[in-house]
Amino acid sequence: MSHHTDIPESQRDITDVYCFAGNDGTVFVINVSPLQSSGFDPEVYYEFKVDTSSPLDYLEDITWRVTFPGGDAVKVEQLTGRAARDRDATGKVITPAEARLGQVVTCTNGIKLFAGERGEPFFNDPRFTVATRAALSTGTNPSYTALYPAQNAFQNTNVSAIVLEVPSSITGSGTIGYWGNTSVKEHGVWHQLQHAAGPLVGFIWDFSGGSAGMDFNASHPKDHLNGRPKNPGSDPASGFWGQVRDATAAVVAARKTFDDPPHGKATPKAYGAYVADTLLPDVLRFKVGTSELWDPWNKEIQNGKGITECAPDSMYDLVLNEELTMGLTHKDATGILLDHFPYLSRPVTGG
């Protein structure tokens, strides 16, 4: 699981987000409705958040707000500047009135849109995720031996996907930051239901039940470094950053890998600080027009997140300071990926 089953209402549950180079621009994806592809909730804002500042300041400069009025219609609003950070603001509608589910739509500013059922591109054996989460919660050394051979639990399932392909004339040609949210207004108050960017970040660290004591899904990237001390490898720390550092430090201390090359540090806390600084703020950074890859431990690259890479393996490597390979590839995922928009595979029958 990446963000799968984080929240009980599947239509509001982001399974994963992706950011990669397409044929005609940068592709942004939000997938929801894991395992059953139950569609979209007409009461929910599906929010594509993009930071175009140089350097990144982790505040959204553009928001594409996707809604589904009436169930089968698709509406996209573009909001910029301060309005991009205001859920009560009204954006510019860029979709034609006839936009519907399952169609490839060209918006008024050249953005391509698809919303509808697709094959699930994510592949992972959740037993590895659960074992890693348990170790981070207890400060123990996880064992994966009994979990092989790995099996992709999401094979032959579908998701409900929203895919945007955005020209560089809108994003700029520099490095951008991207994350996805779902939000809903209840009793006059906005509630952010989910935050999604890096793989597994909001799940393998139990932030609500751990030292952070906060709901990561309700957070904003600008708050992710709160609690980072002046001396990150030694001073007391708090918040999301502090929990990532200290929980990771306990695992690599128990596993005795904290000082192993190529990324080892002098102390477990110093290695934990390296991981916390690598992952937070939780935003996908992408240099427009380049090849995407999320593999910070093996290749020291965080450049978007593609639909063929095994991001869970990379996350396990980072937490353990040790190479771990489940043996799964994108060929274990659902269907055959397309070489053109919307890039995700066609849905499978009964998925």
Side-chain angles (χ1 to χ4, degrees):
M1 57 198 71
S2 185
H3 301 274
H4 297 66
T5 66
D6 279 15
I7 56 178
E9 301 90 352
S10 66
Q11 293 178 328
R12 301 177 174 191
D13 184 14
I14 298 176
T15 66
D16 220 329
V17 300
Y18 299 93
C19 177
F20 56 91
N23 296 328
D24 299 303
T26 301
V27 180
F28 303 99
V29 180
I30 292 178
N31 289 338
V32 299
S33 295
L35 303 175
Q36 55 188 317
S37 184
S38 56
F40 304 98
D41 186 332
E43 296 182 359
V44 167
Y45 281 178
Y46 298 88
E47 301 168 327
F48 293 73
K49 301 284 190 175
V50 177
D51 175 8
T52 61
S53 302
S54 181
L56 298 179
D57 60 6
Y58 307 109
L59 292 170
E60 56 270 51
D61 298 295
I62 306 173
T63 293
W64 289 288
R65 177 192 295 158
V66 184
T67 54
F68 297 89
D72 66 338
V74 185
K75 177 182 174 183
V76 180
E77 295 173 76
Q78 180 170 302
L79 302 98
T80 58
R82 290 182 179 272
R85 303 157 206 160
D86 182 357
R87 292 190 172 105
D88 287 314
T90 299
K92 178 182 179 182
V93 177
I94 61 173
T95 38
E98 63 273 14
R100 293 293 182 271
L101 288 174
Q103 299 176 344
V104 173
V105 176
T106 300
C107 300
T108 56
N109 54 1
I111 293 176
K112 290 181 183 177
L113 162 71
F114 174 87
E117 194 172 42
R118 292 278 100 179
E120 168 66 274
F122 185 69
F123 52 98
N124 186 28
D125 187 328
R127 297 176 300 163
F128 287 77
T129 309
V130 171
T132 307
R133 176 184 167 102
L136 287 166
S137 295
T138 57
T140 55
N141 179 15
S143 176
Y144 305 97
T145 304
L147 306 183
Y148 290 95
Q151 296 181 345
N152 177 24
F154 307 99
Q155 193 171 41
N156 296 320
T157 66
N158 294 327
V159 291
S160 297
I162 310 170
V163 187
L164 302 177
E165 186 163 10
V166 181
S168 60
S169 58
I170 296 175
T171 61
S173 58
T175 296
I176 59 176
Y178 166 60
W179 65 98
N181 294 150
T182 52
S183 300
V184 67
K185 195 172 192 178
E186 296 176 341
H187 307 295
V189 178
W190 281 107
H191 300 277
Q192 182 176 297
L193 303 171
Q194 199 158 24
H195 165 90
L200 305 173
V201 176
F203 181 81
I204 59 173
W205 285 277
D206 179 11
F207 291 116
S208 295
S211 62
M214 296 184 288
D215 181 3
F216 191 73
N217 276 325
S219 70
H220 189 282
K222 67 180 177 60
D223 301 322
H224 292 171
L225 297 184
N226 292 347
R228 184 186 187 276
K230 181 177 181 180
N231 297 309
S234 57
D235 289 352
S238 60
F240 300 122
W241 192 96
Q243 183 170 336
V244 171
R245 183 196 71 175
D246 294 344
T248 305
V251 168
V252 293
R255 201 171 180 88
K256 297 180 172 58
T257 55
F258 65 89
D259 57 353
D260 288 350
H263 302 299
K265 307 298 177 186
T267 67
K269 275 192 176 181
Y271 183 79
Y274 157 72
V275 172
D277 282 340
T278 298
L279 294 176
L280 300 176
D282 184 33
V283 169
L284 295 180
R285 303 160 189 85
F286 181 63
K287 176 65 171 70
V288 172
T290 64
S291 298
E292 66 282 348
L293 181 65
W294 197 93
D295 191 359
W297 189 84
N298 288 286
K299 297 185 178 181
E300 300 184 307
I301 295 174
Q302 291 187 81
N303 194 47
K305 188 168 67 178
I307 50 179
T308 61
E309 61 205 58
C310 190
D313 271 2
S314 299
M315 179 61 87
Y316 304 142
D317 295 345
L318 191 63
V319 169
L320 302 173
N321 193 30
E322 179 181 338
E323 187 172 6
L324 173 73
T325 302
M326 292 183 291
L328 299 175
T329 74
H330 71 278
K331 294 180 180 179
D332 295 297
T334 301
I336 299 174
L337 298 172
L338 305 180
D339 62 1
H340 56 275
F341 189 84
Y343 304 104
L344 305 185
S345 66
R346 294 179 175 87
V348 295
T349 302

